[in-house]
Amino acid sequence: LYWSHLYMGDLLRYDESYKQAEEIYLKSSKLYPGNGNPFNQLAVVAQSQDSLSAVALYYYARSMMATQAPSAMSDSNLKRLFISNAKWLDEH
């Protein structure tokens, strides 16, 4: 059931139905609280939307601190977030 929710969230995210994807990812996180993948995906959703970098940072950090299965992707995604923010600061 956990994986079904995670994959459903991915499909909604690909469709750019971000609010629905967030709800499904949060449900997924409740089904397997020690897994960081739903939080990584929530961060990806936040990063896909304008001006939600702080929210993305929170979810990436939470994903990496998961007790049973931290997300392996969060580290590289977090670096990408910082690079994107640095580029934005240089431009403005």
Side-chain angles (χ1 to χ4, degrees):
L1 194 55
Y2 160 79
W3 288 107
S4 297
H5 278 77
L6 197 64
Y7 295 144
M8 173 104 43
D10 288 344
L11 292 174
L12 290 164
R13 180 172 49 90
Y14 300 149
D15 192 41
E16 296 183 1
S17 300
Y18 297 129
K19 186 68 177 164
Q20 290 175 310
E22 288 174 10
E23 291 171 6
I24 296 295
Y25 288 140
L26 286 171
K27 287 180 184 177
S28 178
S29 73
K30 291 177 178 146
L31 291 169
Y32 188 178
N35 192 303
N37 285 333
F39 298 109
N40 180 70
Q41 299 307 88
L42 283 162
V44 171
V45 168
Q47 194 171 353
S48 298
Q49 300 174 65
D50 291 335
S51 71
L52 291 179
S53 294
V55 175
L57 175 61
Y58 166 77
Y59 281 128
Y60 284 135
R62 188 158 178 193
S63 175
M64 290 187 291
M65 295 185 327
T67 56
Q68 295 173 342
S71 174
M73 295 298 301
S74 291
D75 184 54
S76 61
N77 288 343
L78 183 59
K79 288 176 186 173
R80 197 174 79 237
L81 175 67
F82 285 139
I83 290 168
S84 174
N85 285 345
K87 181 179 176 184
W88 185 88
L89 287 172
D90 287 342
E91 293 172 356
H92 295 87

